[in-house]
Amino acid sequence: MLKNKIENEMAPFRFVELMKQIENNNFSEMIKQQAKISSNEISEILVISSYPPRECGIATYSQDLIKALNNKFGNSLSIKVCALESNETNYSYPDEVKYVLKTSLEIGYEKLALTINNSAGIKIVLIQHEFAFFKKQEISFMNFLTKISKPIVVVFHTVLPHPNDKLKLSINNIAKASKSIIVMTHHSKDVLKNDYGLSSEIISVIPHGTHLVTHLSEKSLKKRYGLEGRKVLSTFGLLSSSKSIETTLEALPAIIKKCPEVIFLIIGKTHPEVVKSEGEKYRKSLEGKVVELKLSLHVKFINNYLDLPDLLEYLQLTDIYLFTSNDPNQAVSGTFAYAMSCACPIISTPIPHAKEVLTAETGVIIDFHSSEQLANSVINLLNDNNLRRNISSNTLQKIVSTAWENSAIAHANLFKELSQRKISFQYNYPAINLEHIKKMTTEIGIIQFSKINQADIASGYTLDDNARALIAACMHFKLKRDADSVNKIIIYFNFIKRCSQPSGSFLNYLDKDKQFTDQNYRENLDDSNGRAIWALGYLASLNGQLPNEIILGAEDIIEKSLSHIATIRSTRALAFSIKGLYFYHHATKLPETISIVKTLASRLVEMYKHESVLGWEWYEPYLTYANSILPEAMLYACLLTGDSIYKEIALSSFRFLLLQTFNKNGIEVISNKNWLQKGEIAGSYGEQPIDVAYTIITLSKFYDVFKDDDYKQKMVTAFNWFLGKNRLHQIVYNPCTGGCYDGLEETHVNLNQGAESTVSYLIARLTMEDVKENTKEPSKTIEIRKQVKPYYDFKNFSYIKME
């Protein structure tokens, strides 16, 4: 009876969760859920949109956005959905759909507004707007907006220029009821400002999200789909006459004359609304044209609404993507954006989205309905492989900032601003992913560079990268105790062994043919030698956990290198060596090790005394790369020798470094474009993942020794740099490939995912995992810290008077 009553009252506005509980007679669970919602501090964002399984571009958009938000912030944010339906439809939705609104029935709007206002958990209402959604109840929709007491964000998927008075009034009324308006192109923002008179202050541009892809081999994909030897043109999306597919069909005869291996894939079902109004009339007209032009061997219809992985594979095997919309007012296209994310060279008609992102370097724009221009452009691209490759690479660089992960960050930052920072977000840590490192590693070692995420064997190998990879593999082994880590440890150790020289030194550069290059004899390799000692020492510290022959091999190489290490004077090489010898000593307990560490640490002390003044507590007259390794090495020296001067210098120099690299926005490590000279201002871009990783490692050690929560908090801040909490608000770690981009430049990330960056990220990620699991009590050395006279009040970022 209760069920019937609710069904009668709520027919146009179904409470999905409530219905499930009532149908299962689970009233106690329903009460628990309500109590949980009341006490839960996690903020809820309600997204009002069409939603899968409804086949609709905006439905897919919303699902992709919600997935990205959950992946990035799901531990501190709850996303629920109110799915929009016409009166004739009735879908079975996934769990995140909490409500359903029948958009053609007036009563549903009022009840939904009341529910939103009475829900303490809902903090923001995000509405995906398309005019067709609310055309039968425009007044009810406007009343709904004015009745909601929570902040409203409206996303305009269509922005029509040159509005009539009625449309202009409608958009202005929506804007008045909203805290913020989101559009996906700067062109749309300009239209809203210039044609509708909206204030730019409430308009945010968040581009249509795109998927990160692994960039599989085009050749292997073509083989899988039976397209070997073919040049593939493609288009996709829900089919309707606005796609103007006939523009391409009419261009094909000319294309085939020059490129007979061409095949054109038309991917996608007919739009459901088109099917309702005219059935398959448009598709049949296209099929008729294929017959008329004798194109049956060169055109393939894929009449399915493809799952995302299948769609992305079709796009990755595409040689040229064709976008021939005949609607000059189409503000944005998800299909267009997805093609760019797969690095497709694109030929497009001049919709605003295309004009905004396509240049001569990223694609070709043709006139509407111009089959001749399309044919000429396709022939030109197919006959110029270098041009196509360049466009593909430039396209990927252009679009990477629009990854769904970055879209989620932009939305989260907007939500935080609108809530006046009452909504807080915590970045979720990605799962540990070794796939890219596995692809970069051969039986010789880890390859130095990559082109995007494809290992570039021509770049050869370096001791630097394999030393870092050995440390990462050892850390992963400590965490997982897995056989694969042992195999990687053996590979990277053998590489270091190969580089070891009879003199006790190491060479650094090995080419793809396993030959040491001339570069080894033109450069100072002290830093590389120091990294090798760090890696070998760390490996030796795992005695009793790894096969004995590996441990003994590492110890033998270090023992042979001790006399060479004692001659090192390069600042960072000293620091790397001290770290390695610290670990080595814990494995061997050789008194000679302590003596060498004292020698090396004393050199750093002399450097510090020579350069350090109030306001520049450092070892050199500049800050360059791997800076945090220096105070960390001093801390290790103190832990090994007990000499408090090392501890004092470690603390003061690390405070100074943190002041230069942390600010109210997070961490900004020293630019590799412009080192920070004493008395000057550092460069503001060219941030390298390795420097952020080293900072995290050092913070971890300082936290381990002193148990100061400020160090731990800065670890979180620094790690979030990889996840998007950085100057560009873009991800640096790619969760799709498991690789890490090679740097944060002035306006973009460097898309290449080389060994240095990827291994550095992994070390940082494993360090965060280690700290999360570490529950040790503060060490005794914390007492020494109390005797140190700090130069700064670190919490307030200001100098304090020394005693």
Side-chain angles (χ1 to χ4, degrees):
M1 189 172 179
L2 175 59
K3 177 182 174 181
N4 291 337
K5 182 179 179 182
I6 293 178
E7 284 181 339
N8 290 334
E9 291 182 356
M10 303 298 183
F13 176 49
R14 295 184 285 112
F15 289 79
V16 176
E17 282 188 345
L18 187 60
M19 288 285 85
K20 289 178 182 176
Q21 292 161 2
I22 293 173
E23 286 171 3
N24 294 328
N25 295 317
N26 196 353
F27 293 100
S28 60
E29 184 60 30
M30 182 174 68
I31 293 169
K32 288 179 183 177
Q33 290 286 344
Q34 283 299 114
K36 184 178 179 181
I37 290 172
S38 299
S39 61
N40 200 339
E41 295 182 358
I42 292 180
S43 299
E44 182 177 311
I45 309 297
L46 180 64
V47 180
I48 300 177
S49 173
S50 58
Y51 208 71
R54 181 173 176 177
E55 293 175 350
C56 162
I58 294 176
T60 303
Y61 171 94
S62 294
Q63 187 176 55
D64 287 339
L65 173 61
I66 289 169
K67 182 179 179 181
L69 282 165
N70 282 329
N71 285 342
K72 294 297 291 184
F73 307 108
N75 292 332
S76 55
L77 186 67
S78 173
I79 311 287
K80 295 299 180 184
V81 177
C82 173
L84 302 176
E85 284 185 0
S86 64
N87 198 36
E88 308 85 53
T89 55
N90 194 358
Y91 297 104
S92 177
Y93 289 106
D95 291 343
E96 61 266 27
V97 176
K98 191 173 183 180
Y99 316 111
V100 174
L101 176 64
K102 297 286 190 181
T103 56
S104 59
L105 300 179
E106 180 181 355
I107 188 173
Y109 292 89
E110 186 173 346
K111 290 183 179 296
L112 178 57
L114 181 63
T115 300
I116 291 170
N117 292 340
N118 289 337
S119 173
I122 296 175
K123 304 301 183 186
I124 300 280
V125 178
L126 179 66
I127 301 174
Q128 305 294 341
H129 181 275
E130 181 57 71
F131 294 103
F133 287 163
F134 310 107
K135 64 182 179 181
K136 293 183 179 179
Q137 289 291 342
E138 292 181 12
I139 295 175
S140 297
F141 175 65
M142 281 308 311
N143 289 337
F144 164 73
L145 293 179
T146 58
K147 288 178 180 179
I148 294 176
S149 60
K150 307 296 176 72
I152 296 172
V153 179
V154 173
V155 183
F156 282 129
H157 287 258
T158 298
V159 179
L160 298 174
H162 315 301
N164 59 30
D165 290 342
K166 180 182 178 183
L167 178 57
K168 186 173 182 179
L169 178 62
S170 175
I171 295 300
N172 272 269
N173 286 337
I174 291 172
K176 287 177 183 177
S178 305
K179 286 288 186 182
S180 181
I181 299 293
I182 294 175
V183 292
M184 299 181 204
T185 65
H186 292 279
H187 174 270
S188 293
K189 180 175 182 177
D190 290 341
V191 171
L192 288 178
K193 286 163 49 183
N194 300 329
D195 292 9
Y196 291 84
L198 299 190
S199 168
S200 62
E201 293 181 1
I202 71 163
I203 307 171
S204 296
V205 178
I206 303 179
H208 192 297
T210 54
H211 294 280
L212 297 171
V213 297
T214 54
H215 300 288
L216 302 171
S217 163
E218 177 187 312
K219 185 177 180 180
S220 64
L221 286 173
K222 285 184 176 180
K223 182 176 181 180
R224 184 190 306 173
Y225 286 95
L227 296 168
E228 286 181 283
R230 306 300 295 267
K231 292 294 187 184
V232 178
L233 313 177
S234 76
T235 192
F236 87 93
L238 293 170
L239 212 57
S240 70
S241 59
S242 66
K243 300 284 187 184
S244 193
I245 305 297
E246 61 273 14
T247 301
T248 300
L249 295 181
E250 290 166 1
L252 278 178
I255 296 170
I256 293 166
K257 283 182 181 179
K258 299 289 186 180
C259 308
E261 69 276 25
V262 155
I263 186 168
F264 177 39
L265 305 182
I266 304 170
I267 305 169
K269 295 172 63 175
T270 302
H271 197 292
E273 297 302 318
V274 173
V275 172
K276 285 181 187 178
S277 62
E278 62 179 46
E280 293 286 358
K281 177 182 175 182
Y282 181 62
R283 181 182 296 276
K284 289 178 180 178
S285 73
L286 296 177
E287 291 171 347
K289 190 169 285 291
V290 168
V291 173
E292 174 191 342
L293 297 174
K294 299 178 182 179
L295 299 172
S296 56
L297 296 178
H298 299 276
V299 176
K300 182 178 180 180
F301 288 88
I302 301 171
N303 189 11
N304 292 305
Y305 193 84
L306 295 181
D307 291 336
L308 180 64
D310 295 333
L311 173 60
L312 295 179
E313 287 189 352
Y314 271 112
L315 290 174
Q316 288 177 79
L317 63 78
T318 293
D319 291 282
I320 302 174
Y321 184 79
L322 305 176
F323 185 83
T324 53
S325 169
N326 58 19
D327 181 3
N329 295 323
Q330 184 174 350
V332 70
S333 167
T335 65
F336 183 97
Y338 284 16
M340 289 191 75
S341 72
C342 292
C344 294
I346 296 176
I347 298 173
S348 175
T349 49
I351 67 165
H353 192 182
K355 290 193 289 185
E356 193 157 301
V357 300
L358 288 189
T359 64
E361 290 76 34
T362 57
V364 179
I365 293 180
I366 61 171
D367 293 337
F368 292 107
H369 306 291
S370 180
S371 298
E372 181 181 358
Q373 290 181 18
L374 189 148
N376 291 336
S377 299
V378 168
I379 293 167
N380 181 46
L381 284 177
L382 289 181
N383 288 333
D384 192 334
N385 291 334
N386 287 333
L387 176 60
R388 239 176 29 256
R389 277 195 292 268
N390 288 338
I391 287 178
S392 178
S393 177
N394 294 336
T395 295
L396 198 58
Q397 183 66 74
K398 183 86 172 182
I399 204 70
V400 68
S401 63
T402 68
W404 279 115
E405 289 76 5
N406 294 331
S407 180
I409 293 166
H411 280 83
N413 287 337
L414 178 61
F415 296 156
K416 183 188 292 186
E417 180 184 334
L418 293 178
S419 71
Q420 297 179 325
R421 299 191 174 272
K422 293 176 183 176
I423 298 177
S424 61
F425 298 95
Q426 295 179 352
Y427 286 83
N428 298 343
Y429 288 176
I432 295 169
N433 182 352
L434 304 181
E435 284 306 307
H436 189 53
I437 284 179
K438 289 177 181 178
K439 291 178 181 177
M440 293 284 289
T441 300
T442 70
E443 73 281 0
I444 301 301
I446 192 165
I447 296 168
Q448 183 177 193
F449 296 141
S450 76
K451 294 179 179 178
I452 311 300
N453 68 319
Q454 302 300 314
D456 181 12
I457 187 61
S459 67
Y461 308 84
T462 67
L463 174 64
D464 291 330
D465 292 326
N466 281 274
R468 284 185 287 261
L470 177 58
I471 293 167
C474 289
M475 293 175 70
H476 192 263
F477 171 76
K478 287 175 66 177
L479 179 67
K480 299 293 186 180
R481 305 287 171 173
D482 60 313
D484 188 60
S485 289
V486 177
N487 293 333
K488 292 295 187 295
I489 286 169
I490 293 171
I491 290 173
Y492 304 138
F493 167 68
N494 283 338
F495 186 91
I496 296 176
K497 187 176 180 181
R498 181 193 294 264
C499 295
S500 177
Q501 302 298 295
S503 65
S505 65
F506 300 84
L507 298 180
N508 188 33
Y509 300 102
L510 191 76
D511 67 21
K512 64 183 178 64
D513 298 317
K514 308 177 212 177
Q515 301 298 312
F516 287 109
T517 70
D518 293 343
Q519 195 173 357
N520 288 293
Y521 310 103
R522 297 196 305 268
E523 294 184 4
N524 185 321
L525 301 181
D526 281 356
D527 284 6
S528 302
N529 280 240
R531 289 188 189 94
I533 298 303
W534 173 21
L536 292 167
Y538 191 72
L539 174 58
S541 73
L542 298 182
N543 60 344
Q545 303 177 54
L546 288 168
N548 202 40
E549 58 269 26
I550 304 176
I551 302 299
L552 291 176
E555 291 177 356
D556 286 346
I557 297 174
I558 293 178
E559 185 177 353
K560 185 175 69 174
S561 300
L562 288 177
S563 59
H564 173 71
I565 294 170
T567 67
I568 286 176
R569 294 187 176 276
S570 170
T571 313
R572 281 151 190 78
L574 291 170
F576 288 129
S577 298
I578 289 170
K579 282 189 68 173
L581 292 176
Y582 171 87
F583 291 114
Y584 172 70
H585 178 76
H586 277 269
T588 61
K589 309 299 182 186
L590 295 176
E592 182 183 4
T593 311
I594 296 178
S595 175
I596 296 175
V597 167
K598 285 183 176 179
T599 298
L600 303 183
S602 295
R603 289 172 187 163
L604 287 177
V605 169
E606 290 307 310
M607 293 177 182
Y608 181 85
K609 288 181 177 178
H610 183 266
E611 293 296 338
S612 179
V613 295
L614 185 62
W616 190 269
E617 294 81 16
W618 200 244
Y619 311 81
E620 300 165 311
Y622 41 72
L623 288 171
T624 58
Y625 65 95
N627 296 298
S628 69
I629 193 73
L630 304 181
E632 185 186 3
M634 297 306 291
L635 182 56
Y636 274 113
C638 176
L639 294 174
L640 190 60
T641 67
D643 193 332
S644 62
I645 186 63
Y646 301 151
K647 182 71 62 73
E648 289 191 27
I649 292 175
L651 283 166
S652 62
S653 61
F654 196 38
R655 285 192 193 96
F656 168 74
L657 177 62
L658 294 178
L659 277 170
Q660 311 310 311
T661 52
F662 282 84
N663 55 47
K664 63 181 181 180
N665 298 318
I667 185 173
E668 293 184 38
V669 291
I670 303 302
S671 166
N672 72 340
K673 308 292 184 186
N674 183 17
W675 302 133
L676 175 57
Q677 305 289 331
K678 185 188 289 187
E680 297 182 7
I681 299 175
S684 59
Y685 60 92
E687 299 171 61
Q688 299 296 293
I690 191 171
D691 288 315
V692 178
Y694 279 157
T695 302
I696 291 170
I697 295 168
T698 303
L699 284 164
S700 174
K701 191 60 190 176
F702 273 69
Y703 176 74
D704 182 50
V705 171
F706 301 120
K707 288 294 181 278
D708 186 334
D709 284 339
D710 192 52
Y711 293 134
K712 191 171 185 179
Q713 183 55 51
K714 281 182 169 53
M715 286 180 67
V716 174
T717 299
F719 188 73
N720 286 347
W721 180 90
F722 289 102
L723 307 183
K725 184 69 167 66
N726 52 51
R727 180 174 45 80
L728 294 182
H729 306 295
Q730 294 183 28
I731 55 169
V732 182
Y733 169 69
N734 184 324
C736 176
T737 65
C740 180
Y741 297 132
D742 276 351
L744 200 66
E745 306 301 340
E746 184 174 11
T747 60
H748 60 278
V749 295
N750 182 332
L751 287 182
N752 296 325
Q753 298 161 48
E756 178 185 292
S757 299
T758 297
V759 173
S760 294
Y761 167 80
L762 179 59
I763 290 174
R765 177 67 182 85
L766 291 167
T767 301
M768 299 304 293
E769 194 76 10
D770 186 55
V771 167
K772 186 171 66 175
E773 300 297 328
N774 188 357
T775 56
K776 292 190 297 184
E777 293 298 316
S779 66
K780 295 179 181 178
T781 52
I782 196 168
E783 295 302 320
I784 298 177
R785 184 193 185 208
K786 294 178 180 178
Q787 302 170 20
V788 178
K789 301 171 183 178
Y791 291 153
Y792 299 103
D793 176 355
F794 191 71
K795 292 186 182 298
N796 295 314
F797 286 83
S798 60
Y799 294 107
I800 62 173
K801 184 177 180 180
M802 294 183 61
E803 298 175 9

